[in-house]
Amino acid sequence: MFLKFREEVIKSLKVDERFVKESDHADLACTVAFKIAKEQKRDPQEVAEELVSEIEPTEYIGSIEVVNGYINFFVSEEFLEDTINLILDQDYDYGSPNMKGEVLVEHTSANPDGPLHIGHIRNSIIGDTLARIMKKAGLNVRTQYYVNDMGRQIAITALGFVRFGIDESKKPDHAIVEAYIRMNEELERNPDIEEEVEDLMIRYERGDREATELFRRVVELALEGIKETLQKLNIQHDEFVWESEFVRNGYVDRILSMLDERGLLKKDGAWMIDLSGLGYEKPVVVRRENGTTLYITRDLAYHLWKNENFERFVNVLGADHKLVGRQLQDILRLLGLKPPEIVFFEFVSLPEGSMSTRRGKFISADELIDRVYAEARKIVENRKELSDEDKDYVARAVAVGALRFDFVKIAPEKQMVFDWRKALDFERQTAAYIQYSHARCCSILRKAVEKGMPDLDFRAELCTKKERDLVVLLSKFSYVITKVVNELKPNVFAEYLLKVANAFNDFYRDHPVLKAESELRMHRLAIVDATRIVLRNGLELLGIEPLERM
RNA sequence: GGGCCCGUGGCUCAGCAUGGAUAGAGCGACGGCCUUCUAAGCCGUAGGUCGCGGGUUCAAAUCCCGCCGGGUCCGCCA
């Protein structure tokens, strides 16, 4: 709805959209008068007034005012009414800007050598939220986990698995990482083992049967545990793509010959691509002297496949992959292929420093989830009206919500230092706050039904300032979705939902609903129901359970 | 050494792409609100040289240059 209003404003002024922005002083404000005033050496206020005098009335522009050269637009009563009616009418479908296209989102893709830690899930949460929002936007989205099964660390894990076995009583990813950590210690004591590692890697790449079985076994175990963790966070991938597949299905050979045909390969024992023309210091090696491929070779092959199957592909990667990511993009461009869009996120570190799976220095996602759940459970314990089963359900939903929200609300480029105290806090600016607002809406509506629910009838002329503000905010849903899909900033959506909850609580405080008289009651119930729908749809996009009671 | 990212009240962040109207929140602090729709809530008060220094502009947290602090990358690893 807000998108339509915005369009009308842009059209009415015949102005570039970058001059039209959101503002505290209006529903939309235009600054173009400053620009024109400068060019014509005139007074901005005068220019603005002149521009406004030429504007034809439209359906959704209610009023216009000129202040200090700003042109301020306010929505019409009709706009408010259409917004509420549209929300109530579309219900679950409300909020889609109806985009089209095939999109692939690759996220998480952590090495299958142990459990996910709190750094990995920043990736998972950003990726999953983005995928949910893109789906809501109308795009056909598939999600993939790229399994790095050919890496050195998997060879080390495999050797550790053979040498020490694993503790079958543990969750498989946690059991696997013990072998990995132990083997790394072993490797430090005895560097001769290095040869074994290399030998195993070569055998796997060549398709040696015994090596393949061993790798499969180890990787599957790790993935089993990883999937379970992701599941707890409401995250599920459509597919797990093993990088070794691209060695076996010919894509690696294809990408190498494409590079060769374009004369991009320098074969000097190893095969490499010289990117110095693009400002890279060192060449990129795509084939070792011993004939085996490297991570980037397989990744290039993967992206050749993506080019053949999708219009748009997005990768979520840690900031440590920036260099490789950009090399990948540039090489693909040199081949005339489409590069992936990459969302880089900065690291999550512990107060005592960065994490390391290899040295066993990390907080696992499982531990985090368990502790946040325990904390939520303590609070839920006070709710006498909930059964034990409900309490468990609510605590779990609150815990997962708190976790997901904490990660998604921070802009990806911001470094995070993990803090237990904050992770276990459920007040304000958190998912619980939004869930709570949603539960309040539900509670009002439940009681209204008990007392005999009247028809919902929103009447713009009955709106107070706060009601109006709330409704305008509700109208921005698809506008915000569009922004997130174009800019790949899921934190913007978290921010938006927080604002909606905030505006609702503002309304809730001094606008009695159930006690209001007939007309007003019907009007306010419509607002409550519309807010409920927006909060519920929004929470689902964040992968957070919209609780009806808590 | 070079590249990239970050630096906004005591703490955590939004705003920066496309410069504009008094720089917004939350936590923490202090003071209030539960015989009234869920107090996981609400209201009020205090608290800011937007890292520092220059520049561009009628206008800079936002753009440009330099510096400082933190992070990260610079393997025939992934």
Side-chain angles (χ1 to χ4, degrees):
Chain A
M1 281 305 284
F2 192 77
L3 282 165
K4 273 195 200 156
F5 168 65
R6 186 162 175 273
E7 232 170 78
E8 282 186 13
V9 168
I10 292 166
K11 244 190 239 161
S12 73
L13 280 169
K14 300 176 196 69
V15 83
D16 193 289
E17 61 178 313
R18 68 201 162 89
F19 291 111
V20 174
K21 25 197 108 168
E22 292 181 83
S23 159
D24 292 338
H25 308 270
D27 295 325
L28 278 175
C30 181
T31 57
V32 77
F34 293 102
K35 182 89 176 171
I36 297 173
K38 187 176 181 188
E39 282 164 7
Q40 306 180 354
K41 299 208 160 105
R42 293 170 58 199
D43 175 28
Q45 178 73 8
E46 192 187 304
V47 174
E49 276 166 13
E50 194 180 298
L51 285 170
V52 167
S53 70
E54 288 163 17
I55 292 177
E56 306 277 330
T58 71
E59 198 183 1
Y60 288 150
I61 298 176
S63 62
I64 306 172
E65 61 175 34
V66 177
V67 185
N68 302 328
Y70 293 89
I71 307 171
N72 290 334
F73 292 84
F74 298 89
V75 299
S76 64
E77 293 198 339
E78 199 165 350
F79 175 86
L80 299 175
E81 280 169 9
D82 285 1
T83 294
I84 293 294
N85 291 331
L86 184 75
I87 297 172
L88 298 181
D89 197 45
Q90 294 195 321
D91 201 347
Y92 281 95
D93 295 328
Y94 174 71
S96 172
N98 296 315
M99 298 177 150
K100 293 267 170 304
E102 302 286 318
V103 186
L104 175 70
V105 177
E106 179 203 327
H107 69 83
T108 309
S109 305
N111 291 328
D113 53 17
L116 296 178
H117 61 58
I118 55 179
H120 297 127
I121 61 172
R122 164 118 99 146
N123 186 324
S124 314
I125 291 166
I126 290 171
D128 183 66
T129 307
L130 228 31
R132 284 167 184 266
I133 291 175
M134 289 175 135
K135 259 181 220 163
K136 181 70 186 179
L139 300 167
N140 205 350
V141 182
R142 246 159 84 190
T143 54
Q144 294 192 334
Y145 185 124
Y146 186 49
V147 182
N148 302 153
D149 60 323
M150 298 191 75
R152 202 181 111 84
Q153 70 293 110
I154 303 306
I156 295 170
T157 311
L159 283 178
F161 178 78
V162 171
R163 188 164 305 198
F164 311 115
I166 60 164
D167 183 346
E168 306 265 358
S169 68
K170 288 198 165 145
K171 190 163 168 280
D173 47 343
H174 289 266
I176 282 290
V177 80
E178 286 178 348
Y180 178 53
I181 294 167
R182 214 165 143 193
M183 197 62 208
N184 269 299
E185 289 164 0
E186 198 69 17
L187 203 58
E188 248 171 69
R189 274 194 294 273
N190 182 2
D192 291 346
I193 302 172
E194 195 59 52
E195 265 176 54
E196 272 181 69
V197 175
E198 196 165 319
D199 175 61
L200 189 57
M201 282 174 72
I202 293 175
R203 273 166 48 215
Y204 185 54
E205 176 144 4
R206 304 253 153 93
D208 173 276
R209 198 155 153 190
E210 198 187 330
T212 305
E213 267 167 31
L214 175 61
F215 270 61
R216 291 234 151 237
R217 175 113 194 261
V218 169
V219 171
E220 293 284 11
L221 277 169
L223 286 181
E224 192 188 321
I226 287 170
K227 283 181 196 171
E228 199 184 315
T229 305
L230 289 171
Q231 190 74 50
K232 284 192 250 176
L233 293 168
N234 297 332
I235 297 171
Q236 214 170 353
H237 288 81
D238 294 319
E239 280 137 38
F240 283 71
V241 179
W242 293 46
E243 64 169 325
S244 56
E245 241 176 76
F246 295 100
V247 174
R248 326 249 193 255
N249 67 11
Y251 272 80
V252 159
D253 291 334
R254 277 180 60 201
I255 201 86
L256 285 173
S257 52
M258 280 171 81
L259 286 164
D260 207 15
E261 276 162 29
R262 304 235 168 186
L264 294 166
L265 285 186
K266 231 201 278 179
K267 299 181 183 173
D268 181 18
W271 297 2
M272 48 191 99
I273 307 170
D274 178 16
L275 292 177
S276 57
L278 292 168
Y280 293 97
E281 236 181 288
K282 291 170 185 166
V284 176
V285 177
V286 291
R287 211 184 102 142
R288 292 189 187 91
E289 208 158 351
N290 68 15
T292 58
T293 56
L294 287 99
Y295 176 81
I296 190 154
T297 323
R298 294 161 232 139
D299 211 12
L300 282 165
Y302 183 25
H303 283 83
L304 173 59
W305 177 84
K306 288 185 185 179
N307 263 269
E308 291 172 350
N309 292 281
F310 292 89
E311 290 163 26
R312 202 175 160 186
F313 22 101
V314 177
N315 298 354
V316 183
L317 296 175
D320 54 335
H321 286 65
K322 273 190 178 175
L323 180 62
V324 196
R326 282 176 188 148
Q327 285 171 335
L328 177 79
Q329 289 174 320
D330 279 329
I331 295 169
L332 288 166
R333 276 192 206 101
L334 287 176
L335 289 171
L337 296 171
K338 199 188 272 186
E341 297 168 65
I342 307 181
V343 179
F344 289 108
F345 65 94
E346 289 289 336
F347 269 37
V348 181
S349 55
L350 301 176
E352 61 268 27
S354 54
M355 287 181 284
S356 159
T357 303
R358 181 165 48 85
R359 283 174 292 147
K361 221 182 84 186
F362 60 87
I363 296 174
S364 75
D366 292 318
E367 182 189 352
L368 176 61
I369 296 166
D370 288 348
R371 283 183 62 175
V372 176
Y373 165 75
E375 194 68 23
R377 183 70 213 228
K378 272 192 228 161
I379 296 168
V380 174
E381 220 46 72
N382 304 326
R383 294 278 138 125
K384 298 196 176 64
E385 65 278 18
L386 296 175
S387 69
D388 267 4
E389 206 176 310
D390 284 345
K391 282 180 190 168
D392 182 69
Y393 185 77
V394 168
R396 225 163 263 294
V398 168
V400 170
L403 245 157
R404 288 192 60 133
F405 200 81
D406 265 347
F407 280 93
V408 83
K409 78 172 179 204
I410 308 285
E413 67 273 15
K414 228 81 164 182
Q415 289 151 221
M416 289 176 79
V417 177
F418 184 78
D419 180 345
W420 276 112
R421 208 193 77 245
K422 275 194 320 215
L424 301 177
D425 178 24
F426 301 108
E427 281 173 8
R428 276 297 256 167
Q429 289 225 334
T430 62
Y433 177 68
I434 301 169
Q435 288 170 310
Y436 188 69
S437 308
H438 176 262
R440 271 181 162 174
C441 291
C442 291
S443 170
I444 292 175
L445 292 162
R446 233 179 0 248
K447 290 194 170 139
V449 170
E450 280 165 19
K451 294 182 183 174
M453 177 80 136
D455 287 334
L456 303 179
D457 184 22
F458 176 84
R459 302 252 302 273
E461 74 271 19
L462 296 178
C463 272
T464 61
K465 171 82 168 55
K466 282 180 184 169
E467 289 178 313
R468 210 199 84 96
D469 288 349
L470 175 57
V471 177
V472 170
L473 210 44
L474 297 181
S475 79
K476 290 187 180 175
F477 199 104
S478 54
Y479 167 72
V480 176
I481 299 268
T482 308
K483 220 159 120 177
V484 172
V485 171
N486 292 336
E487 299 171 22
L488 302 177
K489 288 181 178 172
N491 55 305
V492 168
F493 191 77
E495 184 95 2
Y496 167 70
L497 216 53
L498 213 42
K499 270 195 214 151
V500 174
N502 203 6
F504 173 73
N505 283 319
D506 240 10
F507 157 86
Y508 177 89
R509 182 177 68 255
D510 46 22
H511 293 67
V513 178
L514 297 175
K515 288 203 183 85
E517 294 303 318
S518 53
E519 265 183 12
L520 201 54
R521 183 177 154 102
M522 280 155 46
H523 164 78
R524 289 190 177 157
L525 277 170
I527 295 178
V528 173
D529 201 23
T531 306
R532 187 200 109 238
I533 290 168
V534 166
L535 289 176
R536 182 248 279 141
N537 291 4
L539 282 168
E540 259 154 27
L541 294 188
L542 296 176
I544 298 169
E545 187 81 23
L547 295 166
E548 293 183 9
R549 300 165 203 267
M550 60 187 283

